[in-house]
Amino acid sequence: VQWGDEVFVNCWSYDDKILVVDAARETLVDSIEVGPQPSSLVLDRFGKLWTVTDGRTAGIPAALYRIDAATFRVEKQFRFREGDAPSEVQLNGTRDTLYWINKDVWRMPVAAEQLPARPFLEYRETKYYGLTVDPDNGDVYVADAIDYQQQGIVYRYTADGDAVDEFYAGVTPGAFCWKR
């Protein structure tokens, strides 16, 4: 994720850092310590960087982090329950609502001070694998790899959580991008 002249990069594989790189000089200028294995990174409309750690390290629960991109300071750590394994942090098009997978699909305003009590979309019969939000209309797409060998499926919901449709999309659908 880029903010001004800095690029933020996660160290997912058995590390606990977000690296801050000067894009013009291509040099490491700082690092931000978070929990083990930070994954997805997004930048909200207020200049806050969000990441989630997966909780797969013994004794250290998963957490969602809000970091000030200007100061590199962790502002808030939202801890998950032991055994939770959140992933796939995403933002809506106006970048004021955060989404993530933790078995179910969850969402909350970026200004929230606590995790939501109930999921936005409840878990179906199989595991959610990928997540994206259409930046134009707010539709939420959730991928299920099914068995990681056959065709995966993508479910589409409105911004209100109403099911729209579903379609098959490759073996392990999940890396979405939007052309704007």
Side-chain angles (χ1 to χ4, degrees):
V1 172
Q2 186 163 0
W3 168 259
D5 292 334
E6 279 112 14
V7 175
F8 296 88
V9 181
N10 66 332
C11 290
W12 176 78
S13 187
Y14 302 101
D15 207 338
D16 63 355
K17 305 261 186 309
I18 303 295
L19 303 180
V20 184
V21 177
D22 181 307
R25 294 186 184 114
E26 298 180 359
T27 58
L28 180 66
V29 295
D30 209 338
S31 65
I32 305 162
E33 189 171 330
V34 293
Q37 300 198 155
S39 62
S40 305
L41 294 171
V42 294
L43 185 69
D44 73 22
R45 69 179 309 145
F46 304 107
K48 307 304 179 187
L49 183 69
W50 293 84
T51 193
V52 67
T53 58
D54 66 17
R56 293 186 184 141
T57 302
I60 303 173
L64 175 68
Y65 290 84
R66 183 178 66 214
I67 301 163
D68 186 295
T71 65
F72 314 150
R73 187 177 65 83
V74 173
E75 290 185 340
K76 184 79 173 171
Q77 178 188 32
F78 301 87
R79 291 180 187 230
F80 292 99
R81 294 182 309 257
E82 187 172 333
D84 283 356
S87 66
E88 299 297 314
V89 176
Q90 298 289 322
L91 290 165
N92 64 347
T94 54
R95 300 181 334 180
D96 60 3
T97 303
L98 189 70
Y99 293 78
W100 68 91
I101 295 173
N102 187 20
K103 184 179 174 186
D104 303 306
V105 176
W106 299 80
R107 77 172 176 187
M108 72 179 195
V110 296
E113 291 299 318
Q114 62 185 19
L115 293 172
R118 287 191 300 251
F120 169 63
L121 298 172
E122 290 194 23
Y123 177 72
R124 295 185 109 176
E125 60 277 353
T126 52
K127 184 177 189 258
Y128 290 141
Y129 180 82
L131 171 69
T132 191
V133 181
D134 185 318
D136 294 324
N137 66 15
D139 282 359
V140 177
Y141 292 77
V142 185
D144 177 357
I146 302 178
D147 62 4
Y148 299 93
Q149 296 175 15
Q150 303 296 317
Q151 288 282 321
I153 193 164
V154 176
Y155 302 98
R156 181 171 65 126
Y157 299 88
T158 66
D160 294 326
D162 299 321
V164 176
D165 63 4
E166 58 188 59
F167 53 91
Y168 289 97
V171 177
T172 53
F176 299 96
C177 70
W178 294 96
K179 183 179 178 182
R180 294 194 87 176

